[in-house]
Amino acid sequence: DAKTTQPPSMDCAEGRAANLPCNHSTISGNEYVYWYRQIHSQGPQYIIHGLKNNETNEMASLIITEDRKSSTLILPHATLRDTAVYYCIVRVDTGANSKLTFGKGITLSVRP
Amino acid sequence: DTGVSQNPRHKITKRGQNVTFRCDPISEHNRLYWYRQTLGQGPEFLTYFQNEAQLEKSRLLSDRFSAERPKGSFSTLEIQRTEQGDSAMYLCASSYPGLANEQFFGPGTRLTVL
């Protein structure tokens, strides 16, 4: 699986959009971009994933650049409960062994 | 609550003792994963089951570690002769193919080896 690079931390104000960047310059054509988050003392939680089109669900939006070398996770109206470590993961979505390879992630702090 | 449960939530043991953790996945999920997470790091993959078959083991899984999923439902992870370096959070996840390969994680078992 391709490697991802994320800044170690960022913060944003409550109610504002949080834009979390991720670089994956070695991504292959059949690799998907996944985002998980981990709130303190809990297990990771799936947020969203995509291949090349932008995706949106009830939690977030995922914007993938045209060359697929980077992506941005957008939390449109961050709340204090969104404070967590966010992991950007790239993997082949074959449906076979779909283990996740986590990096250190980015710590998002939402301030009141 | 994701529907994946792990027991115990916390375990404190002395070096050299054996410990066993249990994971109960979401009932219809045929895939089950174990991960280990140390402070400040992301989770690291340990092993993976599809039904009762253990299909992959990480190099991190030394011969002191063994995992089973005897009837394709719950799973156990045993660590023999624990070492202080085994102190970590042990996470279990389950998934069902086709559902975005989304993995549902349990709350983890925190192991402290004294």
Side-chain angles (χ1 to χ4, degrees):
Chain A
D1 294 335
K3 182 181 169 67
T4 63
T5 304
Q6 299 177 258
S9 63
M10 67 175 290
D11 63 22
C12 76
E14 189 176 20
R16 304 298 295 268
N19 298 301
L20 286 69
C22 180
N23 287 320
H24 30 80
S25 58
T26 60
I27 192 169
S28 301
N30 60 347
E31 289 181 312
Y32 286 69
V33 180
Y34 278 76
W35 283 83
Y36 278 73
R37 75 178 182 184
Q38 188 171 23
I39 295 169
H40 184 62
S41 297
Q42 297 182 20
Q45 175 192 24
Y46 167 84
I47 301 173
I48 199 168
H49 79 292
L51 183 62
K52 51 185 176 182
N53 297 323
N54 298 337
E55 302 288 343
T56 296
N57 63 20
E58 65 278 4
M59 290 182 69
S61 295
L62 174 60
I63 308 298
I64 302 174
T65 58
E66 192 169 344
D67 64 7
R68 302 207 326 120
K69 293 185 177 182
S70 66
S71 60
T72 301
L73 179 74
I74 301 173
L75 307 179
H77 306 287
T79 70
L80 298 178
R81 286 175 294 183
D82 292 321
T83 292
V85 179
Y86 288 77
Y87 298 99
C88 171
I89 299 166
V90 169
R91 71 169 189 198
V92 177
D93 191 24
T94 62
N97 182 0
S98 49
K99 68 183 179 186
L100 297 169
T101 302
F102 292 84
K104 291 189 176 183
I106 178 172
T107 299
L108 173 67
S109 299
V110 181
R111 60 181 188 275
Chain B
D1 183 359
T2 62
V4 178
S5 61
Q6 293 188 246
N7 288 288
R9 294 292 309 277
H10 302 273
K11 179 70 177 178
I12 300 174
T13 191
K14 292 183 179 179
R15 189 175 52 189
Q17 298 295 304
N18 299 343
V19 294
T20 300
F21 311 140
R22 176 177 170 126
C23 171
D24 287 89
I26 295 171
S27 59
E28 63 267 25
H29 286 186
N30 64 344
R31 295 177 180 173
L32 187 146
Y33 304 80
W34 285 98
Y35 294 84
R36 180 174 70 186
Q37 185 173 27
T38 53
L39 200 61
Q41 305 296 316
E44 298 171 295
F45 169 77
L46 291 179
T47 190
Y48 152 69
F49 290 85
Q50 181 156 303
N51 300 312
E52 65 275 9
Q54 187 174 17
L55 297 186
E56 185 173 345
K57 293 193 290 187
S58 163
R59 287 190 301 271
L60 295 174
L61 211 65
S62 76
D63 55 7
R64 296 185 297 105
F65 287 70
S66 62
E68 294 183 341
R69 194 182 182 197
K71 297 182 180 178
S73 57
F74 72 92
S75 176
T76 57
L77 178 68
E78 180 183 17
I79 308 174
Q80 295 183 328
R81 306 181 303 281
T82 52
E83 302 173 355
Q84 287 186 324
D86 297 331
S87 295
M89 176 74 83
Y90 290 83
L91 293 159
C92 173
S94 69
S95 73
Y96 189 83
L99 294 178
N101 284 318
E102 175 184 350
Q103 294 186 18
F104 294 81
F105 283 80
T109 295
R110 180 164 295 285
L111 172 67
T112 302
V113 182
L114 301 177

